[in-house]
Amino acid sequence: TRLAVSVVGAATLAVAVAMPGVSAATHANRPHTTPTHNLCSRSALDVPSCGVLWGLYTPHQNYSSLEKAIGRQFDIVKNYTDFKPGSTFPNAPDLPLAQGGRIVFYDWNAVNYSTHAKVSYQAIANGTYDKSVIIPEARALKAWPYKVFVDFDHENDSKAQAGKGTPAQYAAAYRHIHNVMAAQGVTNVIWTWVTTGYPPHEPQILASY
């Protein structure tokens, strides 16, 4: 099953969905009404039966004003969070987004945002962070009444993620996180895997799955 997702930066807003029978002129000329998201039926993994899910990340989280400006509600909003004890997600500011029908997409980075220290993939795979980070996060996710997307260390093939381990260690760390979550009874996460898609990185990308 394929999951069609488009997440764009705040500075690069673009029409990312072509709906059957709806022309560009129709979009341009329609009156400003309450923004609606993709209303097509979805699978258990939130794959829409038509179009794509359109999303955005903005550090200012002013989603409502952006939605009013473009005349459409986002299907997905993306947030970034780090991998340290005491830092769990989802959080209270995310609740209105989910209640409004949006999927919150978390990129869980293997780094401590306070110290900028990178977290070793091998240490995660070995269970070093189970009690301090992963199990507390599992409890937070179980208590969340909505589905979420979670991506571990997005674009792991990029230079920004260098120094954390090999592609195989990344894959082992990701599988370990998933398995611990499953053992803790977490069922509301749709796990995603995001790479740069840069063709010269193909061997590294394949090895990280």
Side-chain angles (χ1 to χ4, degrees):
T1 302
R2 293 183 179 179
L3 178 63
V5 178
S6 178
V7 180
V8 298
T12 56
L13 282 172
V15 175
V17 101
M19 301 300 287
V22 181
S23 67
T26 302
H27 281 291
N29 297 327
R30 73 180 180 188
H32 287 285
T33 58
T34 303
T36 57
H37 52 85
N38 186 324
L39 300 177
C40 300
S41 61
R42 300 181 190 178
S43 72
L45 292 177
D46 268 324
V47 179
S49 59
C50 63
V52 298
L53 301 178
W54 195 42
L56 176 101
Y57 164 73
T58 170
H60 306 295
Q61 297 190 351
N62 56 338
Y63 297 108
S64 296
S65 60
L66 287 169
E67 289 171 338
K68 289 178 182 178
I70 65 173
R72 188 192 192 283
Q73 179 176 302
F74 296 110
D75 303 298
I76 302 173
V77 293
K78 188 169 186 179
N79 290 330
Y80 291 80
T81 187
D82 63 351
F83 205 91
K84 68 182 178 187
S87 178
T88 59
F89 60 91
N91 299 303
D94 302 325
L95 189 58
L97 297 172
Q99 289 173 331
R102 305 167 191 83
I103 302 168
V104 188
F105 186 159
Y106 298 96
D107 174 38
W108 200 7
N109 277 317
V111 66
N112 184 315
Y113 287 162
S114 299
T115 64
H116 305 291
K118 295 182 177 180
V119 179
S120 159
Y121 294 147
Q122 190 61 57
I124 294 173
N126 288 345
T128 302
Y129 292 92
D130 286 5
K131 291 183 179 179
S132 62
V133 177
I134 302 175
I135 292 176
E137 179 53 44
R139 293 173 182 148
L141 287 167
K142 281 185 69 174
W144 187 250
Y146 300 96
K147 287 189 293 184
V148 298
F149 287 169
V150 174
D151 170 40
F152 172 63
D153 233 30
H154 83 146
E155 298 184 350
N156 72 88
D157 58 305
S158 68
K159 290 182 179 179
Q161 308 292 28
K164 299 177 180 179
T166 66
Q169 288 171 331
Y170 166 83
Y174 202 156
R175 290 182 185 279
H176 180 78
I177 290 170
H178 171 273
N179 291 343
V180 172
M181 291 284 184
Q184 293 294 315
V186 176
T187 60
N188 59 335
V189 173
I190 297 174
W191 298 98
T192 69
W193 178 70
V194 180
T195 72
T196 64
Y198 183 50
H201 290 185
E202 181 179 339
Q204 183 179 347
I205 291 170
L206 290 174
S208 72
Y209 184 74

